[in-house]
Amino acid sequence: TMGSNTAGLYADDAGGTVQMFGISESGSVSQLTGLDIRKTGDETVTDTTIQNDDHLTVNLLASSAYDCQFTIFFTNAGAAEGIKMDVNGTVGVSSLKAQISIYDDTLNSLAAFARVTALASSVGAGISSGDNYADIHVTIETTTAGTFLLRFAQNAAGASAGVTVQENSSLGCHKANA
């Protein structure tokens, strides 16, 4: 704990990578680095096998709570294939609540949405070809440190035209104190 009228900064290992942290007078700790990331390039999947996104992954600490937001811009090459996605990783989880919402820009409508309470619980939808959007809001309590990430694939087999999660999609997390 910190002394009266003080606060501090320190570095610590967060899932294999040293990050910066701040501690308040009351002992509340906040991770200051390593929890916001954006895709630096497009990534296409042409089948229904869900896979880890190449960019949208962060390291979470053990015995901590986080509030995370994924903003996913994607292009669907064929309407029959659609998209499915989930959150996953190597982090141990004692509690997870996530709301996954997939929007069809062509129809200007919500194509799919679901509340999930476990890693690797995918949500998918057939969706119009062209530019589309998804939003995933997650609150997670961890037991062990590890990675936390997005996974995606085509929702259904089709012409294998592919679904592309686009550059500038993002993941932002912040440590939530009780």
Side-chain angles (χ1 to χ4, degrees):
T1 62
M2 301 299 295
S4 180
N5 297 318
T6 63
L9 297 174
Y10 65 95
D12 197 6
D13 185 310
T17 304
V18 175
Q19 302 292 342
M20 289 297 300
F21 294 85
I23 186 169
S24 71
E25 177 181 11
S26 66
S28 294
V29 174
S30 293
Q31 187 170 343
L32 304 174
T33 60
L35 292 174
D36 295 309
I37 193 156
R38 73 170 185 91
K39 283 187 76 63
T40 57
D42 291 351
E43 181 179 356
T44 302
V45 175
T46 57
D47 61 36
T48 60
T49 304
I50 202 158
Q51 70 174 40
N52 295 352
D53 183 275
D54 290 343
H55 301 106
L56 300 181
T57 182
V58 294
N59 292 319
L60 302 182
L61 294 172
S63 303
S64 300
Y66 293 89
D67 183 49
C68 301
Q69 180 74 38
F70 291 87
T71 301
I72 310 300
F73 302 105
F74 68 95
T75 299
N76 196 41
E81 290 86 1
I83 189 171
K84 66 181 171 185
M85 58 186 65
D86 67 27
V87 294
N88 204 356
T90 61
V91 67
V93 176
S94 60
S95 176
L96 180 140
K97 284 195 175 56
Q99 186 68 37
I100 300 176
S101 303
I102 302 171
Y103 299 91
D104 187 318
D105 282 7
T106 301
L107 299 176
N108 196 24
S109 65
L110 183 61
F113 63 95
R115 170 81 48 91
V116 298
T117 58
L119 295 176
S121 300
S122 65
V123 175
I127 201 162
S128 299
S129 60
D131 292 332
N132 295 289
Y133 170 80
D135 177 41
I136 305 173
H137 192 106
V138 183
T139 301
I140 183 172
E141 292 180 54
T142 65
T143 55
T144 58
T147 60
F148 180 65
L149 54 91
L150 174 76
R151 298 190 316 165
F152 74 100
Q154 289 183 180
N155 188 51
S160 296
V163 60
T164 301
V165 173
Q166 297 174 305
E167 178 181 10
N168 291 326
S169 293
S170 63
L171 163 59
C173 293
H174 72 271
K175 195 165 182 292
N177 295 309

